Amino acid sequence: MRMLRRNALSFLTFMPIAAAAESAFAAPVAVPEEKPKTAGKILFVVTSHGELGNTGRKTGYWLSEVTRPWKVLKDAGYEIDFMSPKGGECPVEGQNPSDPVNKAFAQDLSAQKKINFTIKPSEVKPEEYKAIFFAGGHGVMWDFPDNKELAAITSKIYENGGVVAAVCHGPAALILSLTPKSLGPQSAFGFN
């Protein structure tokens, strides 16, 4: 019985070696280089602001408002880039390390490199993006409104047929000074 088992194992071990040797003598087949397939690029915008007014409390972008759409869009084949008003590392709040989507985001090396080294508005080429997405978090209330660079990038993406999206506090990026004077005497807000 031992001899039979050893012969069977020898035969099974030899099979892959024989197949490899046979293919080594076959004519080489040209294999086209495959580029990673992508459905396009989407620009995620997060805050650079880390202080909650004069309260002494820390703030930033809300993690799950980045990770949830990131996962859906990544799974759909989109490449995600991260931008912030100042570029570089951004403050974060709302961390829940036990959340499986947050955990997957934390373990994705490409996503971590991009979120920890966000690009600046001056480095963005709007024509490369199919959409712009503004993540929420309390910090956006300080550096998204009245930000002319963000407004210009958003306009260009939209004018090129792109999608503009935001979640929670993120729509603050879509506001440019709406003061009574700029609204005129007959505003919907009742200013005179």
Side-chain angles (χ1 to χ4, degrees):
M1 181 72 167
R2 251 187 179 162
M3 184 64 130
L4 180 61
R5 186 178 300 154
R6 188 173 30 194
N7 286 341
L9 288 174
S10 297
F11 177 74
L12 291 174
T13 305
F14 178 74
M15 289 299 293
I17 295 169
E22 185 178 309
S23 68
F25 296 108
V29 177
V31 178
E33 187 178 318
E34 286 190 40
K35 292 182 181 177
K37 295 179 182 174
T38 178
K41 290 172 70 173
I42 298 178
L43 184 62
F44 275 40
V45 187
V46 295
T47 185
S48 295
H49 190 83
E51 296 291 326
L52 194 58
N54 59 3
T55 66
R57 293 175 42 206
K58 298 294 181 196
T59 189
Y61 68 88
W62 198 264
L63 184 60
S64 64
E65 292 177 6
V66 167
T67 61
R68 294 282 190 255
W70 165 83
K71 173 145 178 41
V72 170
L73 294 167
K74 180 180 176 268
D75 289 350
Y78 288 94
E79 180 183 345
I80 310 296
D81 286 339
F82 291 93
M83 177 185 73
S84 65
K86 293 182 181 175
E89 190 173 357
C90 298
V92 61
E93 63 179 323
Q95 297 181 48
N96 178 358
S98 65
D99 179 288
V101 178
N102 290 350
K103 190 174 183 178
F105 183 76
Q107 294 173 345
D108 187 294
L109 295 179
S110 175
Q112 287 305 299
K113 182 179 177 185
K114 289 180 178 184
I115 194 71
N116 288 309
F117 300 95
T118 62
I119 56 179
K120 298 175 189 174
S122 62
E123 300 170 322
V124 171
K125 296 178 183 167
E127 62 277 3
E128 293 182 358
Y129 297 96
K130 289 190 169 193
I132 186 167
F133 170 74
F134 293 96
H138 298 104
V140 308
M141 299 309 291
W142 280 267
D143 62 358
F144 279 14
D146 295 325
N147 188 314
K148 291 183 175 141
E149 288 179 302
L150 295 182
I153 292 167
T154 304
S155 293
K156 287 178 185 170
I157 291 173
Y158 179 77
E159 289 165 2
N160 289 334
V163 174
V164 176
V167 65
C168 200
H169 289 78
L174 307 176
I175 298 172
L176 290 176
S177 280
L178 293 178
T179 61
K181 189 174 185 180
S182 68
L183 292 172
Q186 301 296 323
S187 76
F189 300 106
F191 298 117
N192 291 325

